[in-house]
Amino acid sequence: MKQRIALLLLVAVLVAPLLPVAAQDSLIESVCLVTDVGRVNDGTFNQFAYEGMLKAAEEFGLDSTFIETQSPTDYEANINACLNDNYDAVVTVGFFLADATLQFATENPDTYFIGVDQFVADGPENYVGLQFREDQSGFLAGALAAQMTESGVIAGVYGVDVPAVVKFRHGFEQGAAYVNPDVEVLGVYLSSFIDPALGSSAAAQFLGENADVIFGAGGPTGSGGIIFAACPADNCEGAAKVIGVDQDEYYSTFGAGETPGAENLISSAMKRVDSAVYVALEVLVGGGEGWQGGSNIIMSAENDGVGFAPAHDSDVPEEVTAVLEEILAGLKDGSIETGIDPVTGELLDMMPEATPESSG
């Protein structure tokens, strides 16, 4: 009998470490994502947020779904649909959903809310904002453009002037000045994130003003601008160089090199929305340690939350990329600052110091 008991105890000891223990600590079993106006395959932060949620759902065994917003008037109804279906966590994508997300988070303290591009100050403990240093990735894009321009004129096609877009624009302008203060920088905010034709029209105007590097930061509107600039009227040779935004637009907007003008895409200003959403859900699955309830998770150069994409098929000299790597290292260790408020995107009373030698 004693031998049998001892054997059973030995089996228990050997098997116990193999039993799943993390799952019982998880604060959530399901997650629902609500996009801004657009789709989960639109090549914007909607898609990036969805991919982050999907990765977390697959790795942690979460029940997941998504709702694609057709109109701003649908924000509240879409969030409410997630709540009516009893999802444990709700991810809302975009600055424009902030008010509705705060309202529902306050009214539903037992549900966790994750707001992409939403700044949370003294909010409820079940609500966290995902903030990004778009000024840093924009800074890198501007430094690249200033090195690659031959005409001395570069431009940006931007969406609505929400803080994220303001940070991209001012970052682009500051980065260009950091490398070459003599470069002329043009730019325009547009009234929509989902109007590629409007973006194309703005890009055409900038081409007419001699801009030869164009940055697009405004969802499909910005993408429409760089598609046109990279190959106007199907004449890709001698077209402008272009820079994408959020994710690597070589794979999305330019079809992994299949879309005309892909050879003129010199980089994208990366913003790892997918990583941020994944990290926030991972924290909840892990029991909540590190959950920044009532405030924000900040994704920056320091934690690889922003950066720049490879040149792919374009002809970007190695020495140009080396300057970008040097700047990125400075942004990571704090020796280079963008001179931009990391929350509002407004310019501060300072300019970045220690300009590296330009290669362009």
Side-chain angles (χ1 to χ4, degrees):
M1 177 63 107
K2 291 182 179 179
Q3 289 180 336
R4 184 178 180 187
I5 293 173
L7 180 61
L8 289 174
L9 288 173
L10 177 61
V11 170
V13 169
L14 292 174
V15 171
L18 303 179
L19 297 177
V21 294
Q24 63 186 336
D25 297 327
S26 178
L27 299 178
I28 61 171
E29 295 180 356
S30 59
V31 55
C32 178
L33 180 142
V34 177
T35 72
D36 201 343
V37 176
R39 305 181 66 85
V40 296
N41 62 350
D42 62 8
T44 73
F45 65 170
N46 284 322
Q47 180 172 336
F48 239 11
Y50 171 71
E51 290 173 355
M53 181 197 73
L54 201 60
K55 179 182 177 183
E58 291 173 351
E59 291 192 9
F60 304 130
L62 301 175
D63 180 24
S64 67
T65 192
F66 64 90
I67 300 174
E68 296 176 324
T69 298
Q70 304 301 312
S71 166
T73 58
D74 299 332
Y75 290 152
E76 293 188 10
N78 290 346
I79 297 173
N80 203 43
C82 294
L83 295 170
N84 288 340
D85 288 337
N86 297 312
Y87 281 90
D88 299 324
V90 179
V91 179
T92 61
V93 185
F95 173 83
F96 291 121
L97 281 83
D99 289 344
T101 305
L102 175 59
Q103 173 191 330
F104 281 105
T106 302
E107 295 171 354
N108 298 272
D110 294 330
T111 303
Y112 292 94
F113 289 82
I114 299 166
V116 177
D117 279 349
Q118 298 168 27
F119 181 76
V120 180
D122 298 322
E125 286 298 313
N126 59 324
Y127 178 25
V128 69
L130 301 183
Q131 285 281 297
F132 302 83
R133 290 296 304 272
E134 293 94 347
D135 56 304
Q136 292 181 333
S137 53
F139 193 93
L140 291 162
L144 173 60
Q147 292 181 87
M148 294 296 291
T149 182
E150 296 179 2
S151 68
V153 182
I154 62 177
V157 176
Y158 305 102
V160 182
D161 59 346
V162 299
V165 176
V166 174
K167 284 188 277 185
F168 271 129
R169 178 174 184 170
H170 285 163
F172 183 72
E173 294 169 353
Q174 292 282 85
Y178 179 78
V179 168
N180 184 355
D182 295 326
V183 168
E184 182 181 359
V185 186
L186 309 175
V188 63
Y189 292 117
L190 299 173
S191 60
S192 171
F193 284 116
I194 55 170
D195 191 340
L198 187 61
S200 297
S201 177
Q205 178 179 333
F206 291 140
L207 292 176
E209 296 179 56
N210 209 30
D212 62 353
V213 183
I214 293 181
F215 176 40
T221 300
S223 297
I226 63 173
I227 288 174
F228 179 85
C231 195
D234 295 324
N235 179 20
C236 304
E237 187 174 351
K241 304 297 184 184
V242 299
I243 302 172
V245 81
D246 287 346
Q247 57 182 311
D248 189 344
E249 292 204 54
Y250 177 81
Y251 295 107
S252 54
T253 302
F254 287 92
E258 297 298 319
T259 301
E263 68 276 16
N264 292 319
L265 178 73
I266 56 176
S267 187
S268 295
M270 297 287 286
K271 171 180 171 179
R272 296 304 305 270
V273 174
D274 57 337
S275 295
V277 170
Y278 176 89
V279 165
L281 291 172
E282 182 182 36
V283 167
L284 292 174
V285 169
E289 184 176 355
W291 175 257
Q292 302 292 321
S295 59
N296 307 278
I297 296 174
I298 308 295
M299 303 298 288
S300 67
E302 183 179 2
N303 57 18
D304 297 321
V306 299
F308 66 96
H312 296 295
D313 301 336
S314 62
D315 184 18
V316 176
E318 291 182 5
E319 56 268 27
V320 169
T321 302
V323 171
L324 294 184
E325 294 287 0
E326 178 186 338
I327 293 172
L328 179 58
L331 293 171
K332 283 186 176 184
D333 66 24
S335 61
I336 297 175
E337 298 183 6
T338 64
I340 295 166
D341 186 296
V343 176
T344 66
E346 296 303 319
L347 293 172
L348 302 174
D349 293 330
M350 61 172 289
M351 278 291 293
E353 300 176 355
T355 305
E357 183 179 348
S358 174
S359 301

